[in-house]
């Protein structure tokens, strides 16, 4: 009989999982999926739809699941009895160029916001989608034309399906409220729609793949002002290679071919950074006031 794992071995396994990005337990007890599929009867009773897809017989499973190739006729007994292992149907991975072409075509085809949300939900070429639990797109009222763009969903956003609903989001909401924005007035989104595993910094290719959707998002919302929260969204949308501490507080004209005129965009510090560096809140507060004034039409930051 195999020896019970030691506490050190269990801790090492847990550390490995956390480093791989698993930061949530979905059940109180571990489930051995291999044993479960080995116990699957060869021709069992009709499956209940309420069972997980991977444990249902092939005919009732969605198309993306398939059974591995059947053992060759005349193979050994152990080959013939090999348990079915359900694996997602392999779609050859797209190259970055192919993924980008798909993203551009899907974003361009979206004529309104609901169509864009559907296009993002249906986009499979960004690898982050495979590890995230949810697609996170936006919250707030697009009709108010006040657009805030952050980096990527974190753990809370991945669970709840809305951007900036964790502790950084609460700080952002407080700042908006103190600057006089009504609840829900700001329309909040991110440059990435899926949580990077373990909240790691997004890869440039991941940002690139989402960018056509973000650009179309901006065109469709047609904001009066844009607030870029942190370095990732600032770099992605303004293409300015300087760090956020250099460019924060500065207004830029955000340009894109689909826009009739540049949109005033202000770069500021990310709320998660402010939680780690509370002394910097005064700078972010200054930015928020400037953002509020431009939204109100008190001054034109792009005027000559
Ligand atoms: N940080 C972000 O940039 N976006 C979120 O949605 C949450 C945290």
């Amino acid at each position: 009989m195999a020896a019970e794992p030691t506490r050190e071995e269990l801790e090492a396994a847990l550390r490995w999982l956390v480093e791989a990005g698993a930061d949530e337990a979905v059940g109180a007890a571990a489930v051995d999926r291999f044993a479960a599929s080995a116990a699957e009867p060869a021709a069992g009773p009709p499956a209940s739809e309420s069972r997980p897809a991977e444990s249902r017989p092939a005919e009732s499973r969605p198309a993306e699941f398939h059974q591995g190739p059947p053992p060759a006729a005349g193979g050994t007994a152990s080959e013939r009895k090999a348990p079915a292992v359900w694996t997602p149907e392999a779609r050859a991975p797209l190259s970055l160029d192919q993924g980008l072409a798909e993203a551009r075509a899907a974003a361009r085809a979206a004529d309104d916001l609901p169509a864009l949300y559907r296009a993002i939900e249906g986009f499979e070429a960004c690898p982050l989608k495979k590890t995230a639990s949810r697609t996170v797109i936006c919250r707030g009222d697009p009709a108010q034309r006040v657009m805030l763009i952050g980096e990527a969903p974190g753990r809370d956003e991945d669970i709840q399906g809305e951007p900036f609903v964790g502790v950084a989001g609460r700080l952002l909401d407080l700042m908006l409220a103190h600057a006089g924005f009504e609840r829900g007035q700001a329309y909040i989104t991110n440059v990435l729609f899926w949580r990077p595993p373990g909240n790691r910094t997004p890869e440039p290719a991941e940002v690139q793949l989402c960018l056509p959707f973000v650009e179309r998002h901006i065109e469709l919302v047609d904001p009066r002002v844009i607030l870029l929260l942190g370095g990732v969204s600032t770099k992605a949308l303004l293409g300015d290679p300087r760090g956020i501490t250099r460019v924060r507080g500065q207004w830029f004209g955000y340009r894109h071919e689909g826009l009739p005129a540049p949109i005033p965009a202000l770069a500021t510090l990310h709320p998660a950074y402010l939680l780690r560096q509370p002394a910097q809140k005064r700078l972010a507060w200054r930015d928020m006031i400037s953002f509020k004034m431009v939204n109100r039409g008190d001054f034109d930051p792009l005027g000559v």
Side-chain angles (χ1 to χ4, degrees):
M1 201 177 90
E4 285 288 305
T6 63
R7 185 184 173 85
E8 287 69 33
E9 285 168 335
L10 289 171
E11 281 175 356
L14 193 57
R15 264 197 306 281
W16 183 86
L17 283 167
V18 170
E19 279 161 20
D23 57 2
E24 195 188 352
V26 292
V31 177
D32 183 344
R33 304 271 174 209
F34 290 107
S37 62
E40 189 82 33
S48 144
E49 280 303 309
S50 63
R51 284 160 63 198
E54 69 271 28
S55 69
R56 280 185 237 140
E59 60 280 10
S60 68
R61 270 178 273 127
E64 73 267 23
F65 285 91
H66 72 107
Q67 190 170 358
T76 65
S78 66
E79 276 170 342
R80 281 197 302 277
K81 283 194 200 133
V85 176
W86 315 128
T87 51
E89 186 153 8
R91 179 189 180 209
L94 296 182
S95 68
L96 178 58
D97 283 348
Q98 288 168 322
L100 263 176
E102 242 184 50
R104 289 195 188 112
R108 212 178 303 123
D111 287 334
D112 55 21
L113 286 172
L116 183 72
Y117 303 154
R118 285 195 299 277
I120 296 170
E121 292 270 4
F123 185 63
E124 301 292 337
C126 180
L128 292 177
K129 187 171 187 188
K130 298 192 174 36
T131 48
S133 340
R134 287 184 182 238
T135 300
V136 177
I137 305 181
C138 59
R139 69 173 167 101
D141 182 3
Q144 300 289 324
R145 303 182 62 221
V146 176
M147 191 165 188
L148 275 62
I149 307 178
E151 179 177 323
R155 180 178 182 277
D156 294 299
E157 292 76 20
D158 186 61
I159 294 169
Q160 296 184 43
E162 289 199 340
F164 282 100
V165 290
V167 54
R170 282 199 288 283
L171 175 60
L172 179 62
D173 285 346
L174 264 180
M175 292 171 68
L176 286 166
H178 282 293
F181 289 97
E182 280 166 28
R183 198 168 168 71
Q185 184 182 355
Y187 181 75
I188 305 176
T189 183
N190 285 307
V191 285
L192 288 163
F193 305 105
W194 299 280
R195 180 195 184 196
N199 291 355
R200 65 159 169 74
T201 305
E203 297 290 337
E206 294 159 354
V207 175
Q208 258 182 290
L209 283 166
C210 291
L211 206 53
F213 295 108
V214 181
E215 290 164 347
R216 186 74 185 129
H217 207 171
I218 296 173
E219 278 169 31
L220 291 170
V221 172
D222 185 24
R224 201 167 31 248
V225 276
I226 299 175
L227 187 63
L228 297 167
L229 300 162
V232 171
S233 59
T234 301
K235 251 185 212 141
L237 288 161
L238 302 180
D240 192 315
R242 292 174 298 164
I244 185 65
T245 49
R246 298 230 154 202
V247 295
R248 69 132 284 278
Q250 294 181 38
W251 283 94
F252 297 84
Y254 170 75
R255 292 161 207 277
H256 192 251
E257 62 202 19
L259 293 169
I263 300 174
L266 176 66
T268 191
L269 302 169
H270 193 285
Y273 172 77
L274 298 177
L275 290 169
R276 296 191 301 273
Q277 302 284 338
Q280 306 297 314
K281 283 183 186 166
R282 62 192 173 82
L283 297 176
W285 177 244
R286 211 184 283 168
D287 299 343
M288 193 57 97
I289 298 300
S290 174
F291 184 64
K292 166 82 183 174
M293 288 170 74
V294 170
N295 180 50
R296 216 163 46 189
D298 290 355
F299 71 96
D300 174 5
L302 308 183
V304 278

